[in-house]
Amino acid sequence: MRRKTLYVSDLDGTLLQPDATLSAPTLEMLNSAIEDGALFTLATARTPATVAPIVENLDLRLPAVVMTGTALWDKSSNAYSDIRYIDNDAAHKLVDVYRKMDFPTFLYTLRDGMIHIYHLGKLSGIEKTFMDERSHNPYKIFHVPADGDSRLPEFLGDTILFYGMQPDDHSSATLRLTSEIEGVRAQKYHDFYGPEIGILEAFSPLSTKANAISELARRAGAERIVAFGDNMNDLPMLELADVGVAVENGIEEVKAAADIVIGANTADSVAKFILEDIKREKENS
């Protein structure tokens, strides 16, 4: 009897093309696999605001892991579940550190199914662009004044994420302090802004792609997990997976940790691997 397998893929740099879209061949292969009964979903650092347009034509029947494991999000109902909030006291301590370090950052809260975003400090050019590209979106509301420094709610126990992008040395110095706060998981990495900009995030310690995938696998009754990634925040889910798969364009740390390295994201490698794996599982059952 074929094992029930959950296939989980990161988006940027893994499943998506460089223009942040799903290619026509990948869409066709994934939709075919899902129609045939395959369990497939996504695990991304993105919020539903930018995931929704990407997966508009994808027959995504399982909830997606969003915001690096902060929550599960159901495309069909736009409902969140398994939400991992930062403790109220820990969130206030984080605010104090960011203000002490003069480190501008966005603060995300999730209330009544809607993401509310605030900002600490003066907005940089990158942050203004980031906000402009995400404003007027039905999945989130920005509460950011012209000077950039929001008036925060007194209660921060519904905070899910702090997200900042600043010069790399500033991000590294701030990371050291945020990492010392009990009840916080902080991380820094580089992404599409290049190596000069360090992206600094802070979550609940329970907010990982691996934890969210474990919950999703339990719900789906999956006996086996195959996960695909390319960057540092994918490491926990690759370690959790029965088969951890890195794309060829992934960073060296991820490729070294993976069980298998496949082709690049530009070659529809994830979708091809899934179809081949399904075929092998059928032949071996």
Side-chain angles (χ1 to χ4, degrees):
M1 186 175 182
R2 184 168 50 146
R3 291 177 293 180
K4 202 170 184 181
T5 300
L6 174 63
Y7 298 97
V8 187
S9 180
D10 171 55
L11 279 177
D12 295 276
T14 303
L15 190 66
L16 300 184
Q17 295 295 303
D19 63 355
T21 63
L22 290 168
S23 72
T26 283
L27 270 172
E28 183 179 353
M29 285 186 278
L30 290 179
N31 282 337
S32 174
I34 293 168
E35 180 64 27
D36 194 39
L39 299 174
F40 173 80
T41 193
L42 310 167
T44 177
R46 289 174 176 263
T47 70
T50 55
V51 173
I54 290 171
V55 301
E56 181 179 2
N57 297 315
L58 179 64
D59 186 16
L60 193 63
R61 302 179 184 183
L62 292 175
V65 176
V66 294
M67 296 174 284
T68 319
T70 293
L72 298 176
W73 171 74
D74 190 285
K75 173 190 174 184
S76 60
S77 65
N78 190 32
Y80 292 90
S81 61
D82 200 39
I83 304 166
R84 314 296 177 97
Y85 292 107
I86 300 173
D87 175 78
N88 181 58
D89 289 342
H92 278 284
K93 289 176 182 177
L94 279 166
V95 169
D96 291 342
V97 166
Y98 288 120
R99 292 208 185 280
K100 174 184 175 182
M101 294 297 291
D102 192 22
F103 189 95
T105 191
F106 290 100
L107 184 158
Y108 288 61
T109 68
L110 181 54
R111 301 193 301 271
D112 301 322
M114 177 63 71
I115 294 175
H116 296 263
I117 304 175
Y118 304 86
H119 186 265
L120 305 178
K122 185 178 179 181
L123 282 166
S124 67
I126 290 176
E127 290 175 314
K128 286 178 182 177
T129 300
F130 176 89
M131 193 168 67
D132 289 344
E133 290 174 350
R134 290 158 177 80
S135 296
H136 311 296
N137 188 292
Y139 296 92
K140 59 177 63 173
I141 299 172
F142 282 90
H143 303 272
V144 183
D147 66 1
D149 203 10
S150 301
R151 181 176 179 179
L152 302 181
E154 288 187 16
F155 177 72
L156 296 180
D158 53 13
T159 302
I160 52 175
L161 167 68
F162 286 78
Y163 180 90
M165 56 283 246
Q166 296 297 324
D168 194 60
D169 56 347
H170 195 184
S171 295
S172 294
T174 307
L175 172 67
R176 286 192 287 272
L177 293 180
T178 57
S179 298
E180 295 173 355
I181 299 173
E182 186 176 353
V184 171
R185 182 178 72 81
Q187 65 181 23
K188 181 180 81 74
Y189 60 96
H190 302 110
D191 211 333
F192 40 82
Y193 298 111
E196 298 83 13
I197 298 296
I199 296 177
L200 181 59
E201 297 176 325
F203 308 87
S204 158
L206 299 176
S207 293
T208 68
K209 289 183 178 182
N211 284 341
I213 290 167
S214 292
E215 170 61 18
L216 190 55
R218 184 193 66 78
R219 292 188 193 180
E223 305 160 273
R224 176 174 175 257
I225 298 172
V226 178
F228 305 84
D230 75 308
N231 213 331
M232 291 299 291
N233 64 0
D234 298 318
L235 284 173
M237 74 172 180
L238 295 190
E239 293 167 0
L240 166 76
D242 297 282
V243 183
V245 185
V247 285
E248 197 280 328
N249 53 286
I251 64 173
E252 291 304 319
E253 292 93 332
V254 173
K255 290 192 285 186
D259 298 303
I260 300 172
V261 178
I262 58 175
N265 63 318
T266 52
D268 303 302
S269 302
V270 170
K272 290 176 182 175
F273 183 93
I274 289 173
L275 292 187
E276 291 166 1
D277 188 72
I278 291 172
K279 182 179 178 182
R280 283 192 297 269
E281 285 289 296
K282 285 181 177 179
E283 291 172 349
N284 293 333
S285 62

